[in-house]
Amino acid sequence: MARRNHELTGPCSAGDVLAVHLQDRATDFLRSLRLHREAGPAGGGAASADAAARLRRSARRISGTLHTFRPMLDREWSDALRPELAWLSGTLAREHAYGDRLERLLAALTRLSGTPVPVPVRGGVQVRGGVPAPVRGGAEVAVGGGAQVSVGGGGRVPVSPAPQVPAPVPAAAAAAASVPGPAAAVPPVPGQGQGQGQGSGGRPGSVEPAGALALGAAKAGALLERQLNLARTRAHSAALQALGSARFHAVADSVALLASEVPLAGAAAGPPSGLGPLAAEAGARLLDAVGALPLLRAGHPYNAEALAHGLTADPAPQPQDAPWHQVRLLLRLHRYADEVLRSVPDAVPDGAGEGARLLSAGHALDRHRDASEAAAAASAAARTPRITPATAYALGVLHADQRHEVEAARYAFQRVWVREEARV
């Protein structure tokens, strides 16, 4: 629930309720903007990230209120401000989204492989499973004696052997990573080939299956890190550019004026009960969108619906996710409209558990969105040219894992939504 800076007492109109609510959100916006500027232009600290998150929340609430209660406001003014707030919120959200996506994918790789995944580059050294490996121009580096590096032109450059460093990795992966030379012997794994020097078929330099999979997971993590960190850096630069643009200053000036005066329409002169039908329309749109979802199938665990068309060659996002994303947006608008209604003096809440229900459903849909976008990032990384089969395999497993997370989020939403409707 957003903080209220003003309180309404006594008889009031619908316009008074809207004005106080929007002025409170505008005040939160300006306060967050001041905190963001005080945190510094670099925007890399926790204080800056928290201020940016508060700024986005205030912008979303103002935009959502302008959308739902548009008949009560000056239409020309609201139609001009609403898309600008959406632009600002989306621009500021991208950097945060890329960072969370990378953290989510690396954590999933660690869980799936059982070995540490790459961490950010420190001093030109990429840490992979506890063993430092050289990083040169975004090339893939194979860990082990006699390794070679794939470079942009397709050629290969010899790399000196990695030092033998103890690491908490499986025995096969540790042996493959610490071989001092191509001719060194590696203890065989039961049921598998001989070693790195005498692998399947006795080919020199071949890697055991377990070691190859561990290296594939490490390379997949490094590839995801390069791609998402690059996207995050670009999003950070775009956010800094946006915050210094004339467009943003125009938005900030409009919100500053909103904090003191709200342009209202003639319909706002009526009683606060006039806000109810507009909020009910937002609720009806949400119910219609939820009714179009395959909730019956989503209520069965492990239904594999989220994995459908997983091997399609189309790089576009999964079309089956779009209705769920739309429900997430409509649920957010419904929550914001409910906040306005609860600010009416002597308002009677619809139910003690309604707010908690909407919040739980929103969390499930947030998980759905995050998992869907993470799966898309893994799929895009798997389309990178000239990656090793083990890397592509690890990215495929990671994509399937995130699609299973999509399915789990749908199941959680179905349980919250249908159970609460049954109680009503």
Side-chain angles (χ1 to χ4, degrees):
M1 181 69 69
R3 179 170 50 187
R4 295 172 60 182
N5 301 313
H6 304 86
E7 295 289 342
L8 288 170
T9 57
C12 60
S13 64
D16 296 331
V17 175
L18 271 181
V20 168
H21 183 80
L22 286 172
Q23 286 170 353
D24 287 346
R25 303 292 75 74
T27 302
D28 293 340
F29 181 95
L30 297 175
R31 183 184 297 112
S32 302
L33 179 59
R34 177 178 57 82
L35 294 175
H36 189 272
R37 287 173 175 171
E38 291 176 352
S48 177
D50 182 67
R54 292 174 180 270
L55 197 61
R56 296 198 312 268
R57 283 197 296 268
S58 300
R60 288 197 306 262
R61 278 179 163 80
I62 295 174
S63 179
T65 303
L66 296 182
H67 174 81
T68 302
F69 300 100
R70 182 171 175 263
M72 297 282 184
L73 303 164
D74 182 89
R75 296 199 173 189
E76 183 178 355
W77 167 79
S78 62
D79 290 346
L81 181 57
R82 192 171 71 247
E84 296 301 295
L85 291 170
W87 160 77
L88 176 60
S89 177
T91 302
L92 295 178
R94 290 191 189 98
E95 178 186 359
H96 174 76
Y98 285 126
D100 284 354
R101 198 170 306 154
L102 176 60
E103 182 180 351
R104 179 189 186 94
L105 289 172
L106 294 185
L109 273 176
T110 298
R111 171 171 48 84
L112 293 170
S113 66
T115 60
V117 294
V119 297
V121 175
R122 298 190 299 270
V125 175
Q126 182 82 41
V127 179
R128 297 179 178 177
V131 180
V135 177
R136 294 186 176 92
E140 287 188 355
V141 180
V143 180
Q148 292 182 331
V149 181
S150 300
V151 295
R156 290 187 172 271
V157 179
V159 179
S160 58
Q164 187 170 357
V165 180
V169 295
S178 61
V179 170
V186 178
V189 178
Q192 298 180 357
Q194 291 300 315
Q196 185 163 345
Q198 299 289 333
S200 59
R203 291 175 297 176
S206 61
V207 182
E208 295 181 7
L213 292 181
L215 288 177
K219 291 182 179 181
L223 177 61
L224 288 168
E225 183 190 340
R226 286 196 300 270
Q227 293 183 349
L228 291 178
N229 271 342
L230 177 60
R232 183 181 183 181
T233 300
R234 290 174 175 171
H236 179 68
S237 300
L240 290 180
Q241 185 178 4
L243 291 174
S245 65
R247 183 179 183 182
F248 169 74
H249 287 294
V251 175
D253 291 342
S254 299
V255 176
L257 292 176
L258 177 62
S260 59
E261 182 180 0
V262 178
L264 299 172
S273 59
L275 299 172
L278 299 177
E281 289 181 11
R285 288 192 295 268
L286 171 63
L287 292 178
D288 291 342
V290 172
L293 295 177
L295 290 184
L296 182 61
R297 185 172 182 83
H300 296 279
Y302 309 107
N303 58 72
E305 178 70 17
L307 295 174
H309 309 293
L311 295 179
T312 179
D314 188 4
Q318 285 269 11
Q320 62 169 293
D321 295 342
W324 296 86
H325 296 334
Q326 180 66 15
V327 168
R328 175 177 170 272
L329 296 178
L330 293 175
L331 178 62
R332 176 177 288 174
L333 290 176
H334 179 55
R335 284 178 46 224
Y336 295 163
D338 187 62
E339 290 179 3
V340 175
L341 294 183
R342 290 173 183 269
S343 65
V344 176
D346 302 327
V348 179
D350 295 335
E354 181 66 14
R357 174 203 182 195
L358 295 178
L359 194 60
S360 298
H363 286 331
L365 293 177
D366 286 343
R367 288 173 46 205
H368 178 276
R369 187 271 316 269
D370 294 342
S372 173
E373 293 179 347
S379 177
R383 292 182 172 90
T384 303
R386 298 188 300 277
I387 60 176
T388 64
T391 304
Y393 176 80
L395 291 170
V397 172
L398 183 60
H399 174 269
D401 174 74
Q402 293 304 301
R403 293 307 302 178
H404 279 299
E405 292 291 332
V406 168
E407 178 183 310
R410 294 178 183 178
Y411 177 76
F413 174 82
Q414 191 270 349
R415 297 287 291 176
V416 171
W417 195 266
V418 174
R419 181 175 68 245
E420 294 296 335
E421 280 190 342
R423 289 181 180 179
V424 174

